[in-house]
Amino acid sequence: DADVTQTPRNRITKTGKRIMLECSQTKGHDRMYWYRQDPGLGLQLIYYSFDVKDINKGEISDGYSVSRQAQAKFSLSLESAIPNQTALYFCATSDPSREGRETQYFGPGTRLLVL
Amino acid sequence: DQQVKQNSPSLSVQEGRISILNCDYTNSMFDYFLWYKKYPAEGPTFLISISSIKDKNEDGRFTVFLNKSAKHLSLHIVPSQPGDSAVYFCAASEETSGSRLTFGEGTQLTVNP
């Protein structure tokens, strides 16, 4: 079984709709992250959370919000989707105290298309 | 500004030969560097890392070299295998940013049989 899972794997939505992408992990890690990948731009950090009560903005947080419902769950919301949010979204986890510094483990990704 | 750059979007090599993927960075505060490999329809997977106190780290066929004065690192794969065909991302972090990573754009490696 995968340690980091993301749902849905693919999603098509319309401009203005609110959508939620979900991430769950069984690695027992405290730290979780949301990234987006655009062609030619690598991965950009949207939000990250170091524990259940901690939420931090990343490089490109505008238009997004997150919720850390539990240690194992971290969801990303697009309040009002727009076409330039079409991208591949990845969730990741890390626990430097166990795994070594800054080694992050990624989920399989969610491909989002906003029409 | 792009603090981590991978200037080659793609690289093609023959099976059995060496693959060399390059990465440059501008932030002198970066002190930990990682390489991730990504196959289509999968998330990136950790490959190898290096701390700034070292200039080389080796793991099987994979070796990462760090040149701090040039702010440059490279990943060597020897010998290259067709299963190594993937996108390779370079990433960097600094101690004060916790576990936040800054990624390069990625390089598509194709190993031809």
Side-chain angles (χ1 to χ4, degrees), chain A residues 2-68:
Chain A
D3 294 318
V4 184
T5 57
Q6 293 183 234
T7 56
R9 292 295 311 276
N10 295 279
R11 178 74 183 268
I12 300 174
T13 192
K14 294 182 178 180
T15 296
K17 294 291 187 182
R18 181 181 188 276
I19 70 161
M20 179 182 291
L21 309 183
E22 301 195 11
C23 176
S24 295
Q25 54 115 345
T26 58
K27 298 185 76 67
H29 289 173
D30 287 326
R31 301 182 176 190
M32 298 187 73
Y33 312 80
W34 275 104
Y35 291 89
R36 64 178 278 175
Q37 184 192 0
D38 297 278
L41 289 181
L43 281 77
Q44 296 174 277
L45 183 63
I46 306 172
Y47 270 97
Y48 61 104
S49 169
F50 283 176
D51 64 42
V52 174
K53 298 177 183 177
D54 177 74
I55 300 290
N56 303 281
K57 292 183 178 180
E59 306 164 272
I60 54 164
S61 58
D62 289 348
Y64 301 95
S65 63
V66 291
S67 174
R68 183 81 184 266

Side-chain angles (χ1 to χ4, degrees), chain B residues 1 4 14-15 18 34 40-41 49 51 58 73 87 89 93 106 111:
Chain B
D1 62 336
V4 178
Q14 286 300 120
E15 181 178 6
I18 184 171
L34 308 89
S49 63
S51 166
E58 189 173 356
L73 64 156
V87 176
F89 290 100
S93 73
V111 180

Side-chain angles (χ1 to χ4, degrees), chain B residues 83-94:
Chain B
D84 295 329
S85 297
V87 176
Y88 289 78
F89 290 100
C90 169
S93 73
E94 55 180 290

Side-chain angles (χ1 to χ4, degrees), chain B:
Chain B
D1 62 336
Q2 190 73 17
Q3 297 186 67
V4 178
K5 284 198 67 65
Q6 296 175 252
N7 290 313
S8 298
S10 63
L11 174 68
S12 183
V13 300
Q14 286 300 120
E15 181 178 6
R17 306 294 289 269
I18 184 171
S19 295
I20 300 176
L21 296 96
N22 293 302
C23 178
D24 296 293
Y25 62 96
T26 58
N27 186 345
S28 58
M29 298 300 292
F30 286 148
D31 63 352
Y32 191 73
F33 305 88
L34 308 89
W35 284 94
Y36 282 82
K37 178 171 70 174
K38 183 184 178 304
Y39 293 118
E42 296 183 12
T45 56
F46 170 72
L47 189 58
I48 193 169
S49 63
I50 188 167
S51 166
S52 61
I53 62 173
K54 296 184 176 181
D55 54 17
K56 176 183 175 181
N57 188 27
E58 189 173 356
D59 183 1
R61 297 186 297 114
F62 303 91
T63 302
V64 56
F65 294 92
L66 176 62
N67 182 334
K68 291 186 290 293
S69 61
K71 294 189 177 68
H72 177 83
L73 64 156
S74 60
L75 174 68
H76 293 210
I77 307 174
V78 184
S80 301
Q81 300 174 352
D84 295 329
S85 297
V87 176
Y88 289 78
F89 290 100
C90 169
S93 73
E94 55 180 290
E95 188 172 4
T96 56
S97 69
S99 55
R100 291 181 58 169
L101 296 177
T102 301
F103 284 85
E105 306 94 326
T107 297
Q108 171 69 59
L109 173 66
T110 302
V111 180
N112 301 301

